[in-house]
Amino acid sequence: MTFDIIQLILFILPAYVANAVPVLLGGGAYLDLGKNWNDGVRIFGDGKTIRGFISGVVAGMLVGIVIAFYLPSIFFSSMRNQILGAFALSFGTMFGDAAGSFVKRRLKIEPGKQFILDQLSFLAFALVFAAPLSLPYLFEPLSIGFLFVLTYVLHIGTNALANKFGLKKVPW
Ligand code: CTP
Ligand code: MG
């Protein structure tokens, strides 16, 4: 089977969880420790905290480990690679999320303001980080295309919901 939606969603779930959890568990010290870049603007800004980063990575890994336990080696070639893969997806997500903020700050886009990278950079980095460990079928153009479209749609939907329930100030 080259294109299985359920499998793809399970594969990417650690990244989605890593991306969502900081909204709930973030806070405390800023990832950039409040420091500015050489353009006089914050490196990442108030929206990226150390606790958010770590909670995202840990939560994504936990989900990946549960998936590995129940569905060993359908996404990665072994249980060991599944767990490493969950780490790669989660860490890649938080890295890509911070990288997106870095670019936004350089473009003088304020934290919380919507930007195309909000949806795309975390997924791109998650996939790049996980690629060396994943099974080839996950990297067929149709699978990648599906994941980007799904992520874009879900991100907008869940952020609108988070806003409705008062978890986020803005609906994106
Ligand atoms: N968050 C966090 N630490 C992270 C990532 C996110 O604490 N590493 C929390 C912050 O409270 C943040 C919220 O999750 O405001 C939403 O995340 P996101 O939309 O990525 O940040 P923005 O506030 O929109 O900031 P930016 O423009 O930098 O993306
Ligand atoms: Mg945002």
Side-chain angles (χ1 to χ4, degrees):
M1 175 74 92
T2 54
F3 184 68
D4 186 316
I5 289 175
I6 305 287
Q7 282 195 9
L8 276 176
I9 291 172
L10 283 170
F11 163 70
I12 205 63
L13 209 57
Y16 285 178
V17 170
N19 192 245
V21 159
V23 179
L24 302 169
L25 299 184
Y30 298 123
L31 194 58
D32 62 11
L33 303 174
K35 291 191 180 10
N36 289 346
W37 190 244
N38 61 18
D39 56 7
V41 178
R42 289 280 295 281
I43 301 173
F44 301 117
D46 286 359
K48 305 294 117 139
T49 64
I50 294 172
R51 202 168 76 206
F53 192 102
I54 293 172
S55 66
V57 174
V58 170
M61 277 211 71
L62 289 177
V63 167
I65 289 168
V66 170
I67 294 173
F69 187 77
Y70 286 102
L71 300 163
S73 69
I74 62 165
F75 315 110
F76 298 89
S77 54
S78 62
M79 177 75 101
R80 175 182 153 275
N81 276 6
Q82 171 75 37
I83 291 166
L84 282 177
F87 176 74
L89 285 170
S90 308
F91 186 82
T93 292
M94 298 317 298
F95 183 93
D97 178 58
S101 294
F102 178 80
V103 172
K104 282 172 83 174
R105 298 303 89 79
R106 304 294 70 78
L107 296 174
K108 312 292 179 277
I109 301 167
E110 283 169 21
K113 281 255 163 60
Q114 195 174 20
F115 189 54
I116 186 79
L117 286 180
D118 294 341
Q119 286 85 36
L120 303 184
S121 83
F122 88 84
L123 179 63
F125 278 92
L127 291 174
V128 166
F129 280 44
L133 295 159
S134 327
L135 299 179
Y137 80 88
L138 295 165
F139 287 88
E140 286 170 19
L142 191 58
S143 306
I144 298 291
F146 170 78
L147 286 177
F148 273 96
V149 171
L150 176 75
T151 302
Y152 194 79
V153 171
L154 275 182
H155 200 96
I156 289 172
T158 50
N159 283 342
L161 272 181
N163 169 251
K164 214 175 154 73
F165 290 107
L167 294 170
K168 285 187 83 167
K169 286 195 203 82
V170 287
W172 48 76

